[in-house]
Each structure stands twice: as structure tokens, then as C-alpha cells.
Amino acid sequence: MLKQLIVPVSLVVNIALLRVSMAWRSHGQTNDELVDNLKAHNIIQHDEVEKAMKLVDRGLYAPHNQYMDAPQSIGYGATISAPHMHAYALELLHEQLKSGGKVLDVGSGSGYLSACFAMMVGEKGKVIGIEHVPNLVTQSIKNIEKHAPELIASGRVKISVGDGRKGYEPEAPYNAIHVGAAAEQGVPDELIKQLAPGGRMVIPVGNKLGMQALEQIDKLLDGQIVRQSLMDVMYVPLTDKDSQYTKWRRKIFKVKDL
């Protein structure tokens, strides 16, 4: 049963104002400085989130402007999100990212957030990253292996090629699901099905024209779904590989469809 939760206006306004006033202003010269600034701006509020983001150096995942608080292209029409959005995701999922938890990272891209999730769920936890561009899967594994090869070798992090809109049923259910691209056609049913009772999903929803909202979707212990719209955002679309790759080729190589 889908239950629409009415969120207090004050809560929505406070979140939105915080994002407008503090986001994009947490740049650093190093990874530690970046994380310290995110904490100073009250975007990072839990020690576990701070620790995870300091253990995973963004400089190993972003090819350009590594410590700028802004999204960066990683090729193939994909981006690594701005650090403040990664911090928001980790904070929103904090209660689900406990030791031994299982996480699905849809559109895992560079592998950065998958690595952060792994740091939070610990040695008994598991993170599944799904990315539909094979080259990005290969690169993300290399990125993780630069500083934490044991995450890949032990199976604590598994990055696979696939359509993230369908989730990854073999490892379901998941305590936490993060989606790093905007669902233009609404939240995929398969992702809701793969969310464990007591679990939470964070997903941007909306069209490519910028009318997008970051949504928090909770599955209660009795199976009810509670959905909250948190803040306006702007993400690349959650789409298929061919559509994403075609747009990227047009932009980079200035080619036309045959």
C-alpha cells in the first residue's frame, strides 16, 4: 500500500534553505578540508558519515576539480555528484547504514558512494553497485582498488553491469537503496519491491527540464510505503545505456544519429 506522508512545511523549508545557503560553498584544497567544511556547514551531522567521507578520498574518483563542491563529468554522459549531495545521501540513510547492512547503489558511476557505503556498513555488510556503462564499471572497480582493494577482493563491494531501474534481485532485500539519477517516469516498482521492511530509499524524481525533487521512501515494518519530497535537485536522467551514450556522443564528437 502506498501511503503519501504530508511533511510539515517548516521541515521542507528548513532543508531547502540549508541547501541554498550552504551548498556549493564547501570547497576544499584536500579531501579532509572538504569534509571539514561540509561538517562546518551542518550538512554532515554524524561522526560515522564524517569518518566514511574521510576514508574515501574523492580525489581518487573525480578526474577534475576533485575537491570542488560541484558535480563533475566522469564521461559517457555520467557525473560524480557534488560532495554536499553525497553527504546528504549518507545522512538521510544513516540509520539504515548500520554494521551488517546491505545497500544497493543504482547508477554507481565512479564508485565513490559505493565505497562510502561500504565503510559505514562494515566488514559484515555488503554493497551492490549497478551501472549500465561497462567502461564505468571497470573504472569504478579500479578507483576503489586504489585505496581499499580489500573491499572488492572480499566481495564487500560488488559492481555489476545492469539496468539499475530493475535493481538487483539476487541480493535483495536491501536496507538502503540510493539512486544517483532522476527517475523521469516515477519510482521504479522493482526498487520498491527490493527494499527491506524498515529500509529506506533516496531517489531524485522528475523530468530532465529541472523539475526534480529528492524523495525519501521508507518501507515500514508492515510493508506500507511512506514517501516524502525533501528538496529540489538537478540530476542526469535515470535512463538506458543507449540513450545516455547517444547523447554523450553527440556532445563530445558532435555526431548525428545515423
Side-chain angles (χ1 to χ4, degrees), residues 206-249:
N207 62 44
K208 60 185 176 183
L209 299 178
M211 301 297 291
Q212 300 175 1
L214 188 67
E215 295 198 5
Q216 174 182 300
I217 298 174
D218 292 306
K219 181 177 283 188
L220 305 185
L221 294 179
D222 63 3
Q224 289 191 83
I225 302 300
V226 178
R227 186 168 173 173
Q228 300 183 49
S229 180
L230 300 177
M231 66 180 82
D232 292 337
V233 292
M234 184 175 293
Y235 278 77
V236 297
L238 182 63
T239 185
D240 60 89
K241 180 183 70 173
D242 291 339
S243 296
Q244 179 175 318
Y245 190 68
T246 297
K247 291 178 182 178
W248 176 74
R249 289 182 71 250

Side-chain angles (χ1 to χ4, degrees), residues 32-234:
D32 280 359
E33 184 178 340
L34 169 65
V35 176
D36 287 342
N37 288 338
L38 289 167
K39 184 175 182 180
H41 290 154
N42 294 318
I43 297 171
I44 293 177
Q45 299 183 13
H46 289 93
D47 292 343
E48 297 89 345
V49 173
E50 178 186 8
K51 181 179 179 181
M53 292 188 74
K54 285 191 172 182
L55 285 172
V56 183
D57 191 331
R58 183 179 168 91
L60 300 175
Y61 294 80
H64 310 288
N65 301 315
Q66 291 92 337
Y67 307 117
M68 180 179 290
D69 192 12
Q72 303 294 330
S73 171
I74 55 173
Y76 307 98
T79 62
I80 178 172
S81 295
H84 69 269
M85 290 309 302
H86 283 154
Y88 278 126
L90 292 168
E91 284 290 341
L92 289 168
L93 294 170
H94 172 262
E95 290 301 316
Q96 286 70 36
L97 298 175
K98 301 300 184 182
S99 177
K102 187 175 288 186
V103 186
L104 177 64
D105 187 15
V106 175
S108 50
S110 69
Y112 171 83
L113 205 51
S114 293
C116 289
F117 289 142
M119 296 301 178
M120 291 186 69
V121 298
E123 293 183 1
K124 296 181 179 179
K126 189 168 188 178
V127 179
I128 304 296
I130 297 291
E131 171 58 56
H132 59 205
V133 179
N135 287 358
L136 288 179
V137 170
T138 299
Q139 185 58 52
S140 66
I141 293 172
K142 291 180 180 178
N143 291 342
I144 295 171
E145 289 179 332
K146 291 175 187 176
H147 69 100
E150 70 279 3
L151 294 180
I152 300 297
S154 66
R156 288 172 55 191
V157 174
K158 177 182 178 181
I159 311 291
S160 298
V161 176
D163 186 341
R165 296 171 297 183
K166 299 178 181 179
Y168 191 74
E169 198 278 332
E171 292 285 351
Y174 300 96
N175 303 104
I177 297 179
H178 168 265
V179 182
E184 295 182 297
Q185 305 301 319
V187 181
D189 289 339
E190 285 301 314
L191 296 183
I192 293 177
K193 291 178 183 177
Q194 292 175 30
L195 194 61
R200 173 173 292 176
M201 182 192 319
V202 174
I203 178 172
V205 179
N207 62 44
K208 60 185 176 183
L209 299 178
M211 301 297 291
Q212 300 175 1
L214 188 67
E215 295 198 5
Q216 174 182 300
I217 298 174
D218 292 306
K219 181 177 283 188
L220 305 185
L221 294 179
D222 63 3
Q224 289 191 83
I225 302 300
V226 178
R227 186 168 173 173
Q228 300 183 49
S229 180
L230 300 177
M231 66 180 82
D232 292 337
V233 292
M234 184 175 293

